[in-house]
Amino acid sequence: MSRTTFTMIKPDAVSAGHVGAILEKITTAGFDIKGLKMTQLSKREAESFYAIHSERPFFGELVQFMTSGPIVAAVLEKENAVADFRALIGSTNPEEAAEGTIRKMFAESVGRNAVHGSDSDENAAIECSFHFSARELY
Ligand code: IDP
Ligand code: MG
């Protein structure tokens, strides 16, 4: 099992000023930050990152939202990183997310839900290399 996962703090949480609080939750939960950057996705980049959802009815809304402002991307390391990070962020819909999870605390809605977390080791590797070169990881 891999020790690496990938996250983005999404435009809603960046613009609301939650970057510091979310990174604090992540490091307090035992994740080490291996790479970190603020950036803004182009339409093409967002469509590529979320290509798996291209047939979903919310795809256009998702791309629009994810390109609407800067994000903070990070590569995180911890034992059992993918599953533990998904538990830390909570359900996609903040109304269904458990108390104390990042989405429960900071998400606005099922679409504007504060953070991304990789859903498998395979996707974590793909998503890390989508955003970071080897020399940007420490
Ligand atoms: P996840 O982020 O919890 O893995 P996914 O089902 O992979 O959830 O969906 C990717 C992203 O698409 C979500 O985080 C959310 O931003 C957006 N999304 C998912 N479902 C909806 C929806 O019903 N309406 C609008 N946006 C959605
Ligand atoms: Mg997903």
Side-chain angles (χ1 to χ4, degrees):
M1 192 173 311
S2 166
R3 291 172 46 82
T4 301
T5 193
F6 171 78
T7 187
M8 293 182 285
I9 303 175
K10 297 185 179 183
D12 59 323
V14 174
S15 67
H18 296 317
V19 170
I22 290 173
L23 290 177
E24 168 71 15
K25 286 275 293 178
I26 290 171
T27 53
T28 298
F31 291 86
D32 293 328
I33 296 174
K34 309 301 285 183
L36 185 69
K37 71 169 70 165
M38 192 173 204
T39 186
Q40 185 160 356
L41 295 174
S42 68
K43 183 164 183 279
R44 182 186 296 202
E45 286 169 336
E47 286 170 348
S48 169
F49 186 90
Y50 283 111
I52 193 170
H53 296 306
S54 62
E55 301 305 318
R56 308 275 287 274
F58 58 81
F59 184 65
E61 180 188 334
L62 175 60
V63 169
Q64 165 68 33
F65 165 56
M66 288 302 297
T67 57
S68 66
I71 59 149
V72 172
V75 175
L76 305 174
E77 197 170 274
K78 182 184 182 294
E79 212 62 55
N80 200 32
V82 166
D84 284 5
F85 192 73
R86 294 290 301 198
L88 179 66
I89 67 177
S91 300
T92 308
N93 185 344
E95 287 174 18
E96 292 160 12
E99 215 55 57
T101 60
I102 291 174
R103 282 170 166 167
K104 182 70 172 187
M105 294 173 74
F106 299 109
E108 296 174 11
S109 65
V110 65
R112 300 168 61 85
N113 61 0
V115 281
H116 169 82
S118 305
D119 63 6
S120 65
D121 288 344
E122 186 190 3
N123 284 335
I126 292 168
E127 293 169 1
C128 289
S129 53
F130 186 96
H131 282 273
F132 291 90
S133 65
R135 67 182 297 274
E136 293 175 311
L137 299 173
Y138 297 91

